[in-house]
Amino acid sequence: MARVSPWHASGSPTYHLCTRCTDGKDIDRLMRLLGTGGKPLCETCRQLIHAGQC
């Protein structure tokens, strides 16, 4: 798995960077928007990055 360009959904409070993030994977690919959307990084992504698993 890898870190990729950030994505978010319009109704989501956070953005995602890690393909292993379960919250990020739950966003349907058709509903994903590129970029951070001015939102904070998802806590799961943050933990994956910290653990070197992103």
Side-chain angles (χ1 to χ4, degrees):
M1 296 299 158
R3 197 181 310 189
V4 296
S5 296
W7 77 93
H8 68 283
S10 62
S12 174
T14 59
Y15 77 93
H16 306 277
L17 279 177
C18 300
T19 57
R20 294 184 72 181
C21 175
T22 53
D23 296 332
K25 287 195 303 190
D26 285 346
I27 300 172
D28 187 289
R29 289 190 183 269
L30 297 175
M31 301 303 288
R32 290 182 185 183
L33 302 169
L34 291 178
T36 65
K39 302 172 182 190
L41 179 61
C42 161
E43 185 58 34
T44 303
C45 287
R46 186 180 316 281
Q47 291 173 1
L48 288 167
I49 291 167
H50 182 73
Q53 297 179 349
C54 179

